[in-house]
Structures are given as structure tokens and as C-alpha cells.
């Protein structure tokens, strides 16, 4: 099942029209001139997303290199690539991940309206809600102190052991919503197979008051189970008796047999279905660490914020559909301007892990080169997404964004209200001034005349010239609440979806992750002895043999 009646997007009329438009006017499009021609450009190209709780997020697309004609052609491309049809199929529970014969139904995880959402004729709403109620009960027991460790002490530290989406999502969300955390309750995350990660994490913890959450759907993920067994060994050095494991370990998994074999009480097992992809799983039982940390009510608001964007994405015409517009701009820059990267810079320290989270979401989803028509693309697909919090990043890579030779479209994210309005909100005003100034500077630049007027002379002049006309999208939230964060994540999820639909690729498998894993498994057995290896390429043989010599 391909959900596509074309192979290459580049064959479509709208694509060819956009190529011609780029050559005729897009290549030399000047945003400052567009503002001069249309004083209402900001109002026209800004969209406001209303959340379920009445809060709003403003998306300002007006500093991008588009006008009505270009946007109209991009919308036509979305229509010709059947974005709306594929979206509707996804929300119907169709198996749009056709290479793995799976539905793509993470939206069902945040279906707090409990409307019927079916996969294979079965309504997912009751099952999803049952897991959430289990999470609510468990998280409230831990937070209240009702759940105690083997010596009767309340839990003070929760350690989530996972990798990929089972780590990146909970890490990012707990950091982003740290101001909602319960004082005295700490969360930690272990993902790297490097023994340093687990060793440093448990170093300062007390086994009597530590709860481990082992996040692996199959409970066979090599990195996760290795770390979990090391955690168990550390715990038993204090607890001694394996019966105490049940009070200090819970499983985010569906493999009851392996969970029980580990020593975890299967009553403390939280499942999720095959239609939940790892990078989309923070809404599921994988979010248990989040629910414990910020409280279930806040976790549910996080889900409802996501649900509000799902509703907008499903019901809003393409011309006003905020994720659709974000994705179309990405395609415009990637495929017609040749931009290979995309910057996401949150002007918010709590969001310091947000770009890392989006890297997996975007690049694991759209790092593909074969279409749903089973042919290799003749155009670029996924962009290289990167970012760090501003203003720190202004002192690192912003130089390249302003004056480098590469076009780097950027998203800037800011909350109007800080959770920490210290010094009479001085810090937030300074942060905001940079948010506004950076986007403005990237757009307007500074020409030679301005540089000279400021006193520069001779050979110094070109070094101080800024070309400007570098596109940004400014995203302004009222406050980063659980609902707002849920909405922001879901915006980027649907941007990623639309990009993939336009490029006609399957955004929901990840075969590229598997090859290295399978090779590592084979090599792993060769590292258990001191014999030289000869069955790889000369470079790999040499590296393995040198490692063996040095590691013994």
C-alpha cells in the first residue's frame, strides 16, 4: 500500500511551476521590499494557534521569502502531493507506514476527548485511557509518598532507562517543564551504553529511595537491557534480596514474560501499541517519568495541548494551516534554494533539549531517499536540523547564519512570560530584545552605506556588511505551560509529516538505524576474546585488533 499515485514529486506540474518561479523571481526575492509593497504583510502572514485552555501561540511567517504567488504555488504542490488525503488516512488509522505494515497513530495517545479512533476495526480510545489511568494511579502514589521502597522510605529519585525516543522525549519534556516539578522529587535519564552514563547517574543516589523505569517495548533492546541489568546489580548491592526489585523497578513495555523474568511485577508494566513509533512515544507510557515529575494533571494538559493542534491540523484549510505552512516553507528552501540545514533556536533555557528532540523527529523521519513509489528521489529530502538555546548560540554559530555563505532558515521560539521573572523581569526583557533583534537583523542586514556612516573605512567595510534577506519564522508563546509545550511539539510533528508527504517518502520507518545495530551485534561477539579478526575490511580489522590490544 503506497497511498501514492505518483513516484517522484519532481514530476508534478506544481513542482515544475515552482522551479520556474524560483528562477524568475524567487531567487532574487527581497523581504524588505515585500514589506514596503504590502504594509499589512505581518497581519497576512502571521497565524495564531488557540489552545484548549484559551492560551495562544503566534507564528509569524512574514519574514520568509514568499509572497501570495509563491505561497499559492506551494499550496498547489501540497494538493498535488495529496497531503490532505494522507493526513486523513493517518487519522483514520490506515497503515500508512507501509514498509512495516503499521498504522501511524500517536494522535490517538492524546485523544482526551475519547472520540472513536480505530485501528484494524478496534477502537483505541478505551485502551489508551486505561493505560493513562494506570499512569495516573502510579504517579500519584509515587508523588504522595504512598509508594515506598523496600525500607519504607518514599521515592526521591526516578531513573528512566531507555534510548532514542524512549529517552529524548522524556528528557526534553521534564527539562522544559521543570518549573512544574514536585520539590524533592528528581528525575534522571540513562540512555548511552557507555558505562559512564549509568555509573555517574547512580553515584549519588540512595537505593532505598530510587525508582527505575525501564523503557523498552520488547524488553530486548540491547542498550536498554544492558543498562537495566547494571542498575539492578547496583540496587541489589544494597537491597540484597531480589524480591525488593518489584518495589524499585517498573517497565514501560509489552513483553510480560521478559519483564517478569527481570523481577518486575507485571502489575507495574505500562504498555503501548505497535502503532506508536519511538520518536512519537512521549505521549504514551514512555511519558511516565514526566507524569511522575510534573503530576498527572499537568501531563494531561500536555496531551490536550497536542490534541488541540491535531484538531487544527485536521480541520483548517491548507492556506491557514500552521503546520502545513511551516512545512511548505521548509520544502521551498530545501528544494529550490538549496538550503541543507534548518536552525531551531529557543530563547528559553528550559527548552535547551528541544532542538535535540527535534533532530530525531525530523532526521529519523525524513532522512530517506526512496519514495512511496519505490524509486530513488532525484531531489533533496530531509534537512539537517540543529540548534541551541539563545542567547548562548548567538555567541557560537550565529556568525555563520548572519554572514556565512549558506542560507540557513531559522525558527526562533520565545515565551512572553517567564517562569522566573527575576530582577523585575529584566532578564526576560533582555532575552526578548535579542529575539526580536536577531530576526530583524537577519532580514534587513546592513549595507555598505550604513557601515561607512558608522565610521568604517577602507578594507574594513566589507567585513561589516550583512547581506540580510535571511529567512526566519518567529514563534511567540504566552508562556511555556504543559499545554503550550504539547502544542509546539505537535506543530513540529505535523511539519515533519507534511514534508514527508510532499517528498512522497515514508516518514515512519527507520531502516537506516538497523544496519549499524546488526553489525554491532556481530562484532560484539568478536570482542570477547583476544584473537585477531580478519573478516572485515582492512580498516575495521585494524581498529578492532588495536582496541583488543589496548583494552586488556
Amino acid at each position: 500500500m503506497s497511498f501514492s499515485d505518483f513516484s517522484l514529486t519532481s514530476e508534478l506540474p506544481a513542482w515544475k511551476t515552482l522551479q520556474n518561479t524560483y528562477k524568475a523571481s524567487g531567487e532574487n526575492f527581497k523581504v524588505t521590499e515585500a514589506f514596503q509593497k504590502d504594509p499589512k504583510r505581518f497581519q497576512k502572514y502571521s497565524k495564531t494557534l488557540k489552545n484548549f485552555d484559551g492560551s495562544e501561540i503566534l507564528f509569524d511567517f512574514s519574514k520568509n521569502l514568499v509572497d501570495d504567488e509563491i505561497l499559492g504555488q506551494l499550496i498547489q504542490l501540497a494538493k498535488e502531493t495529496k497531503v490532505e488525503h494522507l493526513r486523513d488516512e493517518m487519522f483514520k488509522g490506515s497503515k500508512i507506514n507501509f514498509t512495516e505494515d503499521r498504522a501511524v497513530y500517536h494522535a490517538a495517545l492524546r485523544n482526551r476527548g475519547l472520540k472513536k479512533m480505530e485501528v484494524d476495526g478496534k477502537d483505541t480510545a478505551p485502551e489508551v485511557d486505561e493505560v493513562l489511568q494506570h499512569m495516573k494511579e502510579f504517579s500519584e502514589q509515587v508523588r504522595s509518598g504512598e509508594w515506598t521502597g523496600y525500607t519504607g522510605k518514599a521515592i526521591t529519585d526516578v531513573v528512566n532507562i531507555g534510548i532514542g525516543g524512549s529517552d529524548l522525549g522524556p528528557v526534553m519534556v521534564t527539562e522544559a517543564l521543570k518549573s512544574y516539578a514536585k520539590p524533592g522529587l528528581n528525575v534522571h535519564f540513562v540512555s548511552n551504553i557507555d558505562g559512564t552514563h549509568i555509573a555517574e547517574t547512580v553515584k549519588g543516589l540512595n537505593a532505598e529511595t530510587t525508582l527505575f523505569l525501564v523503557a523498552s517495548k520488547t524488553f530486548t533492546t540491547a542498550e536498554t537491557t544492558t543498562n537495566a541489568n547494571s542498575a539492578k546489580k547496583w540496587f541489589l548491592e544494597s537491597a540484597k534480596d531480589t524480591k525488593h526489585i518489584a518495589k524499585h523497578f517498573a517497565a514501560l513495555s509489552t513483553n510480560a514474560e521478559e519483564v517478569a523474568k527481570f523481577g518486575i511485577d507485571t502489575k507495574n508494566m505500562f504498555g503501548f501499541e505497535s502503532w506508536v513509533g519511538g520518536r512519537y512515544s512521549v505521549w504514551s507510557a514512555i511519558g511516565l517519568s514526566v507524569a511522575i515529575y510534573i503530576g498527572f494533571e499537568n501531563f494531561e494538559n500536555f496531551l490536550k495541548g497536542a490534541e488541540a493542534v491535531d484538531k487544527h491540523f485536521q480541520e483548517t484549510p491548507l492556506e491557514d494551516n500552521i503546520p502545513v505552512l511551516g512545512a511548505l516553507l521548509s520544502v521551498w528552501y530545501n528544494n529550490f534554494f538549496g538550503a541543507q540545514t534548518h536552525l531551531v533556536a529557543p530563547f528559553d533555557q528550559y527548552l535547551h533539549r528541544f532542538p535535540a528532540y527535534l533532530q530525531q523527529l525530523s532526521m529519523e523521519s525524513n532522512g530517506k531517499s526512496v519514495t512511496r513509489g519505490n524509486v530513488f528521489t532525484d531531489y533533496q529530502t530531509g534537512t539537517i536540523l540543529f540548534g541551541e538555546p539563545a542567547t548562548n548560540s548567538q555567541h557560537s554559530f550565529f556568525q555563520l547564519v548572519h554572514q556565512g555563505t549558506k542560507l540557513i532558515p531559522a525558527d526562533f521560539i520565545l515565551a512572553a512570560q517567564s517562569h522566573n521573572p527575576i530582577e523585575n523581569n529584566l532578564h526576560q526583557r533582555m532575552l526578548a530584545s535579542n529575539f526580536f533583534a536577531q530576526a530583524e537583523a537577519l532580514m534587513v542586514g546592513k549595507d555598505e552605506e550604513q557601515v561607512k556612516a558608522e565610521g568604517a573605512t577602507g578594507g574594513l567595510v566589507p567585513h561589516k556588511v550583512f547581506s540580510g534577506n535571511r529567512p526566519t519564522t518567529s514563534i511567540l508563546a504566552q508562556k511555556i505551560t504543559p499545554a503550550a509545550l504539547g502544542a509546539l511539539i505537535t506543530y513540529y510533528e505535523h511539519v515533519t509529516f507534511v514534508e514527508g508527504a510532499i517528498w512522497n517518502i515514508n516518514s515512519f520507518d527507520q531502516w537506516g538505524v538497523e544496519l549499524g545495530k546488526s553489525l554491532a551485534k556481530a562484532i560484539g561477539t568478536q570482542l570477547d576474546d583476544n584473537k585477531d579478526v580478519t573478516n572485515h575490511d582492512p580498516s575495521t580489522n585494524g581498529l578492532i585488533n588495536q582496541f583488543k590490544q589496548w583494552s586488556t
Side-chain angles (χ1 to χ4, degrees):
M1 188 181 296
S2 69
F3 299 97
S4 171
D5 55 8
F6 63 97
S7 291
L8 293 169
T9 305
S10 55
E11 298 171 346
L12 298 174
W15 185 275
K16 298 182 188 302
T17 300
L18 282 162
Q19 286 179 319
N20 293 332
T21 299
Y22 172 74
K23 291 174 184 175
S25 59
E27 189 174 12
N28 299 309
F29 187 91
K30 301 295 181 189
V31 183
T32 50
E33 292 177 6
F35 272 104
Q36 290 169 3
K37 292 177 184 175
D38 185 0
K40 294 187 176 180
R41 181 178 170 87
F42 169 75
Q43 289 83 351
K44 183 187 295 183
Y45 293 140
S46 291
K47 306 293 179 184
T48 300
L49 182 71
K50 294 184 185 294
N51 216 321
F52 81 96
D53 58 0
S55 64
E56 298 180 340
I57 303 175
L58 175 67
F59 293 77
D60 174 19
F61 298 114
S62 66
K63 291 187 178 76
N64 283 284
L65 310 181
V66 291
D67 56 16
D68 290 351
E69 179 188 15
I70 294 167
L71 268 180
Q73 292 172 6
L74 287 166
I75 294 292
Q76 181 59 29
L77 180 64
K79 291 178 178 177
E80 291 183 15
T81 51
K82 304 191 184 308
V83 166
E84 293 161 295
H85 171 69
L86 192 66
R87 174 200 64 193
D88 294 345
E89 290 296 317
M90 178 173 71
F91 279 96
K92 277 166 45 179
S94 299
K95 295 180 180 179
I96 65 170
N97 178 359
F98 66 96
T99 62
E100 297 179 304
D101 194 33
R102 291 179 182 172
V104 177
Y105 226 31
H106 44 275
L109 299 169
R110 53 229 188 191
N111 173 25
R112 300 317 297 140
L114 300 180
K115 64 184 179 184
K116 182 177 283 190
M117 296 185 73
E118 294 186 343
V119 172
D120 292 328
K122 180 182 178 183
D123 185 11
T124 62
E127 183 180 352
V128 168
D129 191 58
E130 183 181 352
V131 174
L132 284 171
Q133 296 311 314
H134 188 194
M135 291 170 65
K136 178 181 180 181
E137 177 187 31
F138 187 81
S139 61
E140 289 177 350
Q141 285 179 332
V142 173
R143 286 171 62 83
S144 68
E146 180 185 345
W147 182 282
T148 60
Y150 72 97
T151 60
K153 294 179 181 178
I155 298 299
T156 59
D157 293 270
V158 177
V159 180
N160 185 91
I161 301 176
I163 198 165
S166 300
D167 173 77
L168 285 166
V171 168
M172 182 274 290
V173 175
T174 52
E175 286 295 305
L177 300 178
K178 187 175 283 188
S179 59
Y180 294 86
K182 176 181 171 63
L185 184 60
N186 307 301
V187 288
H188 314 268
F189 296 88
V190 174
S191 57
N192 201 330
I193 195 58
D194 183 344
T196 299
H197 205 179
I198 183 70
E200 287 293 335
T201 300
V202 300
K203 190 178 285 184
L205 302 183
N206 180 353
E208 298 176 57
T209 59
T210 299
L211 172 67
F212 292 95
L213 307 178
V214 184
S216 172
K217 185 183 295 184
T218 61
F219 221 77
T220 57
T221 308
E223 298 95 335
T224 300
T225 54
T226 300
N227 279 324
N229 280 305
S230 295
K232 181 166 71 170
K233 183 178 179 182
W234 170 85
F235 171 73
L236 288 174
E237 286 174 359
S238 297
K240 309 301 182 185
D241 195 330
T242 57
K243 72 179 182 183
H244 298 316
I245 290 171
K247 294 292 286 181
H248 290 267
F249 285 79
L252 317 180
S253 178
T254 55
N255 190 338
E257 183 179 348
E258 287 298 320
V259 167
K261 192 186 299 182
F262 186 90
I264 296 173
D265 187 340
T266 53
K267 289 188 295 187
N268 301 322
M269 189 175 84
F270 301 80
F272 49 102
E273 295 299 324
S274 62
W275 38 259
V276 181
R279 56 193 174 277
Y280 301 92
S281 64
V282 71
W283 320 102
S284 72
I286 293 298
L288 181 59
S289 58
V290 179
I292 294 172
Y293 191 54
I294 67 173
F296 189 81
E297 183 179 350
N298 285 320
F299 183 74
E300 189 158 43
N301 286 340
F302 172 66
L303 299 180
K304 289 179 179 178
E307 183 183 32
V309 180
D310 287 335
K311 188 172 188 294
H312 168 89
F313 182 54
Q314 283 183 274
E315 298 177 358
T316 307
L318 295 179
E319 293 78 5
D320 295 309
N321 197 304
I322 295 171
V324 170
L325 293 172
L328 291 174
L329 290 168
S330 174
V331 170
W332 178 230
Y333 298 130
N334 186 350
N335 295 110
F336 300 94
F337 283 81
Q340 295 185 330
T341 60
H342 188 99
L343 165 63
V344 177
F347 285 68
D348 190 307
Q349 185 59 29
Y350 282 130
L351 292 176
H352 71 104
R353 294 296 293 166
F354 195 52
Y357 174 80
L358 295 181
Q359 285 176 335
Q360 186 196 26
L361 172 64
S362 177
M363 294 194 283
E364 192 168 87
S365 295
N366 289 340
K368 315 290 172 58
S369 56
V370 178
T371 72
R372 291 196 299 268
N374 304 320
V375 299
F376 285 92
T377 66
D378 59 1
Y379 45 83
Q380 294 291 312
T381 56
T383 56
I384 300 165
L385 191 147
F386 73 105
E388 285 289 332
T391 57
N392 281 5
S393 53
Q394 292 171 202
H395 295 271
S396 55
F397 51 73
F398 268 48
Q399 170 63 42
L400 178 67
V401 181
H402 277 283
Q403 288 188 302
T405 57
K406 296 173 173 57
L407 179 71
I408 304 176
D411 293 353
F412 293 163
I413 304 170
L414 175 73
Q417 300 170 33
S418 172
H419 286 286
N420 300 289
I422 59 176
E423 300 290 341
N424 196 28
N425 219 28
L426 171 64
H427 289 260
Q428 192 68 6
R429 293 198 303 276
M430 289 180 66
L431 187 67
S433 68
N434 280 275
F435 171 82
F436 301 126
Q438 288 293 331
E440 183 176 36
L442 284 165
M443 180 180 74
V444 302
K446 187 185 288 187
D447 61 25
E448 193 172 306
E449 288 183 13
Q450 290 173 287
V451 171
K452 288 179 178 177
E454 291 173 356
T457 58
L460 188 60
V461 171
H463 294 277
K464 292 195 170 187
V465 169
F466 293 75
S467 65
N469 210 47
R470 303 195 176 209
T472 58
T473 295
S474 296
I475 302 173
L476 181 62
Q478 288 178 277
K479 194 173 187 176
I480 302 299
T481 61
L485 181 65
L488 281 174
I489 296 170
T490 307
Y491 163 75
Y492 282 102
E493 282 185 357
H494 293 324
V495 165
T496 302
F497 168 86
V498 175
E499 288 173 337
I502 290 172
W503 291 322
N504 199 28
I505 57 178
N506 180 7
S507 299
F508 303 104
D509 59 14
Q510 53 278 327
W511 299 109
V513 178
E514 303 303 322
L515 177 59
K517 281 185 177 182
S518 60
L519 289 175
K521 191 173 182 179
I523 290 172
T525 61
Q526 296 180 321
L527 300 180
D528 293 335
D529 58 45
N530 295 322
K531 298 176 184 177
D532 280 357
V533 299
T534 58
N535 64 317
H536 301 281
D537 65 88
S539 170
T540 304
N541 286 335
L543 287 166
I544 291 173
N545 293 331
Q546 186 65 76
F547 173 84
K548 285 188 170 190
Q549 288 180 33
W550 284 353
S551 64
T552 56

